[in-house]
DNA sequence: ATGGACAATGTTTTT
DNA sequence: CATTGTCCAT
């Protein structure tokens, strides 16, 4: 099979370029995956590279799997030894192998977002810091950002007293992690990058091994990933990256599209290949996409040319409210299916926030149509799943205190707050982990530690310790599935969930599903199972099977394509999201998000919004997304309502003022608008979430950084507008 | 220690 | 509004 057959000239150039740094700028639908897989195959087949010397990294397991299948399809069985996986997965393997250089041992567990937040809470409690002032979520965000920037606690930049405190929490957090023999997501990258940076022998070893390094979605790399790649390519220098700055949508996770430019300046002799031919969409869709993305700065212009030519116009629809928006989508889908114009599986409905899926789901349910949902209340995030996984993790790694605290009283076994604190305290005093202390206590009164506990507190601990010790003993001879069954049985989990109720039954079904997944690890063992469970992503859970419409966030849509796409909630405040209003960089990312959504569509695109949307329990009038105004009218069927702000300016301001009879002018125009930054004498700085006219006054909801959400009347509140 | 009732509190996106 | 935390009676 000719690896270059059927490729256009640019693709061909991209596939055959391999020496030194190569940057492939791949527009949407330009055959990016094809180029990557053929590149890998080309190096092995044409250049005689050993698979062992190749490293290919992606962001999701799904992308990795797809690449593996396609490369295998091109080469047959010649891919033994190829390193192909996600950044996180590759790092895990490397860290386990090189654990001797690190402050934890090779059977470390991986802490997911939920664990990370629990650990921050733990750190706050240990340091006796108020959770109200230092919200675990925001502290965790700061720590995560630091880690992505390769900043250790001692490097944490301090610009305020708050930073000082956060730095201390970070230090404690890191301490707790190491004590738990655990690494969080960010650590996987951070430790790998640090290890390669500081231990030359390790760096040499991998840098010499990987003659060819290929990277997918390069625009989404963060500093840690970037440095990691630099180190790994430091010997051979063959670093091949594929990306599209316009599709960078993970800034909040530390991704920095400027890595693309950084790459070009760090490697001056980089070869750049531009892929502009689009094989996916019609020209109308691409024209709309370009119109949306063009206002962004910091990008280089890219033509999107539809190989398929022109098709139909885009459809714009404005619904009265979010309910009828959902109804419209479902109605269009069922009509098109009934007319035989499309298959249910051809449709995708995309939205900015997960919360928007609910009404859509209800509409589908109401119409009796099946659908599938990507992400949102994910399987692995469900409580029962986390409980069972928590047990397995504890058995696997007694140092995992987060898992221990999670499961020690589930089902309730008289080990509440007080007893848990005592356990932790005694463990600390004896310089052992809480898990080890439990094992110790399983011996009952034979254990010297037994009487360290006050009154009867040791008794329930000893009871649980015995169960735990039993599992630990059984661990070497049991498969993950058998171990899980034994635990479920010992703790009476099915009874605890109460399968006679609907909710309990559905929870138990999730446990059974987890059982089914565990059954696939009979050979690979518990470590592999726990690792995969931790590193699975939303996009990985999307099964191709089943021809039904897909509901997903715009983020989850990246890398996918559908014949017919609906993008809903095209309103200011939703898309672009209100939280991005005050940050130009964030606003550009909102544009990219829409761009990603638009370019998923192959044949037809529906842009939908609602005149009223319910948020915080109130239906509020909306304004159309400002991005809609950038799409030329001649690409659209249906016209976009004039934004109220524009309307207002046309009417005379005088008409909108009146006197309330008491000599004070009541508000008839809104002085405040969503997104404004304001300052209050007492509550400090805040941001206006929304404002509306009510009973002759203006009512505003403001989110204050210090004190949270407040609703107040504009005529009474003493507010200064800091920024519009 | 537990469980239920009420209050507060908060909504972006997720490897 | 819907989830999460807190208080209080057992």
């Amino acid at each position: 099979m000719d690896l270059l057959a059927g490729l256009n000239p640019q693709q061909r150039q991209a596939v055959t370029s391999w020496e030194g740094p190569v940057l492939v700028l791949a527009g949407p639908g330009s055959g990016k995956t094809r180029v990557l897989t053929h590149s890998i195959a080309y190096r092995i087949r044409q250049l005689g590279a050993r698979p062992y010397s190749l490293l290919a990294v992606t962001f999701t397991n799904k992308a990795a799997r797809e690449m593996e299948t396609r490369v295998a399809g091109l080469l047959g069985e010649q891919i033994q030894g190829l390193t192909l996986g996600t950044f996180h997965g590759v790092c895990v393997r490397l860290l386990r192998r090189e654990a001797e250089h690190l402050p934890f041992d090779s059977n470390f567990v991986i802490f997911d977002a939920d664990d990370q937040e629990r650990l921050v809470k733990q750190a706050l409690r240990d340091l006796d810091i108020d959770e109200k002032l230092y919200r675990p979520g925001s502290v965790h965000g700061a720590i995560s950002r630091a880690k992505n920037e390769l900043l250790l606690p001692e490097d944490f930049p301090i610009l305020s007293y708050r930073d000082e405190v956060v730095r201390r929490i970070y230090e404690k957090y890191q301490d707790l992690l190491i004590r738990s023999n655990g690494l969080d997501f960010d650590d996987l990258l951070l430790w790998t990058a640090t290890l390669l940076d500081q231990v030359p022998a390790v760096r040499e070893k991998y840098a010499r091994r990987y003659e060819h390094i290929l990277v997918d979605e390069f625009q989404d790399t963060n500093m840690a990933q970037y440095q990691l790649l630099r180190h790994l390519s430091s010997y051979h220098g063959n670093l091949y990256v594929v990306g599209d700055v316009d599709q960078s949508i993970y800034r909040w996770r530390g991704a920095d599209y400027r890595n693309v430019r950084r790459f070009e300046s760090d490697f001056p002799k980089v070869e750049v290949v531009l892929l502009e031919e689009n094989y996916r969409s019609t020209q109308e869709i691409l024209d709309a996409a370009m119109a949306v993305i063009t206002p962004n700065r910091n990008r280089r212009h890219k033509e999107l040319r539809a190989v398929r030519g022109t098709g139909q116009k885009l459809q714009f629809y404005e619904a009265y409210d979010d309910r009828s928006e959902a109804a419209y989508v479902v109605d269009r889908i069922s009509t098109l299916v009934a007319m035989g114009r499309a298959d249910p599986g051809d449709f995708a409905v995309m939205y900015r926030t997960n919360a928007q899926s609910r009404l859509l789901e209800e509409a589908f349910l109401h119409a009796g149509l099946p659908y599938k949902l990507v992400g949102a209340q994910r399987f692995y995030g469900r409580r029962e799943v986390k409980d069972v996984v928590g047990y397995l993790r504890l058995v696997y790694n007694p140092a995992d205190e987060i898992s221990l605290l999670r499961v020690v009283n589930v089902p309730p076994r008289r080990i509440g707050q007080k007893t848990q604190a005592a356990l932790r305290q005694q463990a600390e005093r004896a310089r052992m982990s809480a898990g080890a202390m439990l094992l110790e206590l399983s011996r009952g009164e034979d254990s010297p530690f037994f009487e360290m506990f006050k009154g009867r507190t040791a008794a329930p601990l000893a009871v649980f310790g015995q169960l735990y010790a039993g599992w630990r003993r059984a661990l070497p001879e049991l498969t993950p599935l058998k171990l899980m069954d034994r635990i479920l049985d010992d703790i009476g989990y099915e009874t605890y969930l109460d399968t006679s109720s609907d909710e309990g039954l559905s929870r138990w079904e999730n446990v059974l599903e987890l059982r089914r997944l565990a059954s696939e690890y009979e050979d690979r063992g518990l470590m592999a199972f726990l690792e995969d469970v931790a590193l699975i992503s939303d996009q990985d859970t999307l099964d191709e099977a089943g021809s039904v419409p897909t509901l997903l966030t715009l983020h989850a849509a990246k890398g996918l394509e559908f014949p017919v796409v609906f993008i809903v909630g095209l309103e200011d405040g939703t898309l672009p999201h209100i939280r991005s209003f005050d940050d130009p960089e964030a606003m550009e990312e909102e544009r990219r998000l829409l761009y990603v959504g638009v370019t998923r569509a192959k044949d037809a695109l529906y842009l939908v919004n609602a005149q009223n949307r319910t948020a915080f329990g109130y239906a509020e009038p909306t304004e159309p997304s400002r991005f809609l105004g950038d799409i030329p009218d001649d690409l659209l069927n249906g016209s976009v309502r004039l934004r109220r702000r524009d309307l207002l300016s046309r009417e005379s301001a005088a008409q909108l003022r009146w006197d309330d009879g008491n000599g004070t002018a009541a508000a008839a125009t809104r002085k405040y608008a969503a997104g404004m930054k304001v300052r209050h004498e007492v509550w400090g700085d805040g941001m206006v979430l929304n404002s509306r006219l009510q009973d002759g006054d203006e009512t505003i909801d403001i989110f204050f950084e210090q004190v949270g959400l407040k609703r107040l009347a504009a005529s009474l509140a003493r507010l200064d507008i800091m920024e519009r």
Side-chain angles (χ1 to χ4, degrees):
Chain A
M1 179 207 228
D2 183 357
L3 288 172
L4 302 179
L7 299 181
N8 70 35
Q10 289 79 26
Q11 290 175 334
R12 214 171 271 213
Q13 193 201 339
V15 167
T16 53
S17 300
W18 63 273
E19 205 166 9
V22 180
L23 170 63
V24 179
L25 297 171
S30 61
K32 181 193 68 165
T33 308
R34 198 145 182 246
V35 163
L36 261 171
T37 50
H38 284 247
S39 284
I40 296 172
Y42 181 83
R43 287 160 207 241
I44 294 173
R45 169 106 60 81
Q46 309 296 330
L47 304 176
R50 289 170 309 150
Y52 176 80
S53 68
L54 261 86
L55 167 67
V57 266
T58 62
F59 275 84
T60 67
N61 293 294
K62 183 166 180 276
R65 265 199 310 273
E66 180 175 352
M67 212 182 286
E68 183 162 17
T69 318
R70 287 171 65 166
V71 173
L74 291 171
L75 288 178
E77 291 306 303
Q78 303 170 46
I79 57 166
Q80 295 296 316
L82 176 70
T83 309
L84 195 162
T86 63
F87 271 102
H88 293 83
V90 169
C91 287
V92 169
R93 268 181 275 168
L94 192 150
L95 291 173
R96 287 205 199 283
R97 218 175 298 133
E98 307 298 335
E100 57 179 294
H101 302 284
L102 299 160
F104 37 80
D105 66 56
S106 73
N107 64 351
F108 60 81
V109 289
I110 299 160
F111 280 33
D112 67 16
D114 188 60
D115 304 324
Q116 289 169 48
E117 201 147 318
R118 281 164 173 264
L119 204 63
V120 170
K121 281 189 188 159
Q122 191 66 254
L124 289 168
R125 240 168 282 150
D126 287 356
L127 295 171
D128 207 24
I129 292 171
D130 188 357
E131 282 190 27
K132 293 265 156 49
L133 257 41
Y134 293 85
R135 303 204 170 279
S138 104
V139 174
H140 173 237
I143 294 176
S144 177
R145 251 171 282 130
K147 288 186 172 185
N148 291 156
E149 293 288 316
L150 292 172
L151 298 171
L152 297 172
E154 57 267 32
D155 312 318
F156 192 80
I158 304 209
L159 300 168
S160 64
Y161 173 68
R162 190 184 171 81
D163 293 337
E164 181 66 49
V165 178
V166 172
R167 195 194 64 82
R168 267 176 33 228
I169 304 169
Y170 180 11
E171 207 158 34
K172 184 76 189 172
Y173 172 88
Q174 211 55 3
D175 190 52
L176 288 173
L177 266 176
I178 290 173
R179 266 206 346 224
S180 304
N181 198 25
L183 275 76
D184 67 18
F185 283 149
D186 306 315
D187 274 345
L188 297 175
L189 308 172
L190 172 74
W191 283 112
T192 309
T194 311
L195 177 68
L196 293 172
D197 187 54
Q198 292 180 2
V199 185
V202 175
R203 178 175 61 241
E204 282 286 289
K205 175 173 161 191
Y206 291 95
R208 279 169 187 267
R209 166 172 173 181
Y210 292 123
E211 283 173 50
H212 301 273
I213 299 175
L214 301 94
V215 188
D216 192 15
E217 308 277 17
F218 184 71
Q219 77 282 354
D220 283 330
T221 52
N222 58 35
M223 187 45 83
Q225 287 159 328
Y226 185 77
Q227 292 304 343
L228 198 94
L229 292 170
R230 289 203 62 173
H231 286 310
L232 288 174
S233 62
S234 60
Y235 188 83
H236 296 286
N238 298 323
L239 182 54
Y240 187 93
V241 309
V242 180
D244 179 6
V245 168
D246 292 334
Q247 293 185 61
S248 167
I249 55 175
Y250 287 105
R251 194 177 88 100
W252 46 274
R253 213 171 62 197
D256 187 353
Y257 65 87
R258 284 170 304 194
N259 278 344
V260 174
R261 276 216 311 256
R262 192 169 287 136
F263 181 72
E264 290 179 273
S265 58
D266 286 353
F267 301 89
K269 44 177 193 122
V270 62
E271 178 173 358
V272 180
V273 185
L274 204 58
L275 303 180
E276 292 178 308
E277 304 277 298
N278 179 295
Y279 293 88
R280 178 186 297 150
S281 312
T282 64
Q283 193 61 52
E284 285 83 354
I285 290 168
L286 296 182
D287 286 346
M290 282 191 283
V292 166
I293 201 69
T294 300
N296 272 4
R297 305 160 71 245
N298 291 322
R299 60 182 294 275
R300 80 174 80 186
H301 181 73
K302 197 156 35 38
E303 281 302 317
L304 298 180
R305 290 186 296 266
V307 172
R308 297 178 48 202
T310 56
Q312 53 187 321
K313 285 186 176 186
L314 319 194
Q315 185 68 42
F316 174 73
Y317 181 80
E318 180 157 61
Y320 172 70
D321 60 12
D322 39 10
R323 265 205 128 70
S324 59
E325 175 188 66
Y328 168 77
V329 170
V330 173
D331 181 65
R332 284 308 297 160
I333 291 176
S334 46
T335 306
L336 289 169
V337 171
M339 283 164 44
R341 300 263 293 276
D343 239 34
D346 291 344
F347 297 94
V349 188
M350 302 174 186
Y351 35 81
R352 174 70 237 260
T353 67
N354 277 306
Q356 291 171 261
S357 73
R358 177 188 260 129
L359 282 177
L360 288 161
E361 287 187 80
E362 280 173 16
F364 274 100
L365 250 25
H366 184 72
L369 294 174
Y371 62 89
K372 62 188 166 192
L373 186 82
V374 183
Q377 186 47 354
R378 333 204 275 286
F379 178 72
Y380 290 97
R382 294 208 157 91
R383 200 184 69 209
E384 60 278 14
V385 174
K386 294 224 60 169
D387 282 348
V388 177
V389 170
Y391 271 103
L392 293 173
R393 273 171 44 166
L394 179 62
V395 174
Y396 177 70
N397 170 22
D400 185 349
E401 199 169 273
I402 288 293
S403 292
L404 184 147
L405 295 176
R406 160 162 214 121
V407 304
V408 74
N409 205 27
V410 178
R413 40 177 85 93
R414 315 202 65 78
I415 303 176
Q417 292 276 297
K418 284 270 169 57
T419 312
Q420 287 173 29
L423 175 67
R424 261 170 51 86
Q425 201 183 351
Q426 293 301 339
E428 180 124 16
R429 184 176 298 177
R431 302 193 168 277
M432 56 170 79
S433 67
M437 178 59 83
L438 263 184
L439 291 171
E440 187 53 47
L441 290 171
S442 70
R443 290 159 49 205
E445 293 176 33
D446 292 345
S447 165
F449 296 103
F450 195 85
E451 51 223 53
M452 308 275 283
F453 290 85
K454 264 195 303 196
R456 285 172 296 281
T457 37
L461 289 172
V463 172
F464 181 61
Q466 278 186 9
L467 281 178
Y468 181 37
W471 303 326
R472 286 282 298 171
R473 273 196 302 277
L475 179 60
E477 63 230 31
L478 293 185
T479 63
L481 181 62
K482 293 240 174 64
L483 177 63
M484 190 188 297
D485 280 343
R486 165 136 182 218
I487 292 171
L488 290 172
D489 195 44
D490 284 353
I491 65 177
Y493 202 62
E494 186 175 359
T495 317
Y496 166 69
L497 289 180
D498 181 18
T499 43
S500 65
S501 75
D502 279 357
E503 195 199 338
L505 187 62
S506 116
R507 288 188 187 282
W508 180 245
E509 280 167 356
N510 285 328
V511 174
L512 294 179
E513 174 63 13
L514 185 67
R515 244 190 117 257
R516 200 191 57 69
L517 288 162
S519 72
E520 292 171 13
Y521 289 79
E522 297 290 271
D523 303 324
R524 282 182 290 157
L526 186 58
M527 180 168 93
F529 178 62
L530 292 177
E531 195 172 298
D532 286 359
V533 165
L535 294 179
I536 216 100
S537 78
D538 277 358
Q539 280 152 75
D540 299 330
T541 60
L542 174 67
D543 46 354
E544 309 293 331
S547 174
V548 300
T550 304
L551 271 49
L552 74 180
T553 62
L554 288 160
H555 282 90
K558 193 165 72 156
L560 306 176
E561 60 177 29
F562 301 89
V564 187
V565 168
F566 290 82
I567 300 176
V568 302
L570 279 159
E571 299 130 32
D572 265 16
T574 301
L575 182 64
H577 195 271
I578 188 167
R579 295 280 276 252
S580 301
F581 280 7
D582 56 346
D583 179 353
E585 286 274 0
M587 283 302 268
E588 296 210 340
E589 184 145 310
E590 299 287 323
R591 273 188 186 281
R592 295 195 289 268
L593 211 39
L594 178 57
Y595 176 80
V596 166
V598 167
T599 54
R600 300 307 97 194
K602 293 162 87 164
D603 307 321
L605 177 63
Y606 288 80
L607 301 173
V608 189
N609 74 9
Q611 290 168 10
N612 298 281
R613 183 167 297 276
T614 305
F616 278 111
Y618 297 95
E620 303 277 8
T622 65
E623 303 224 8
S625 170
R626 61 192 67 185
F627 300 154
L628 284 171
D630 297 319
I631 302 177
D633 283 344
D634 59 336
L635 292 173
L636 285 181
N637 270 328
S639 65
V640 178
R641 146 179 68 124
L642 263 180
R643 306 181 64 212
R644 211 167 327 121
R645 192 181 302 163
D646 303 332
L647 278 176
L648 268 179
S649 63
R650 295 182 179 189
E651 299 176 37
S652 99
Q655 258 185 317
L656 293 164
R657 293 219 149 262
W658 81 86
D659 204 285
D660 70 352
N662 294 323
T664 53
T669 53
R670 295 191 307 163
K671 185 174 164 201
Y672 301 93
M676 281 183 184
K677 283 193 166 169
V678 294
R679 179 168 293 164
H680 184 276
E681 273 188 343
V682 181
W683 293 327
D685 289 339
M687 181 160 68
V688 178
L689 293 183
N690 67 60
S691 109
R692 66 195 164 281
L693 294 172
Q694 203 172 46
D695 308 325
D697 196 359
E698 184 178 358
T699 304
I700 19 182
D701 291 333
I702 301 177
F703 189 82
F704 287 99
E705 285 164 25
Q706 315 290 325
V707 293
L709 188 69
K710 296 279 178 197
R711 173 163 297 169
L712 27 86
S715 62
L716 300 172
R718 307 175 70 170
L719 288 168
D720 293 324
I721 296 175
M722 308 305 291
E723 200 179 297
R724 294 183 178 269

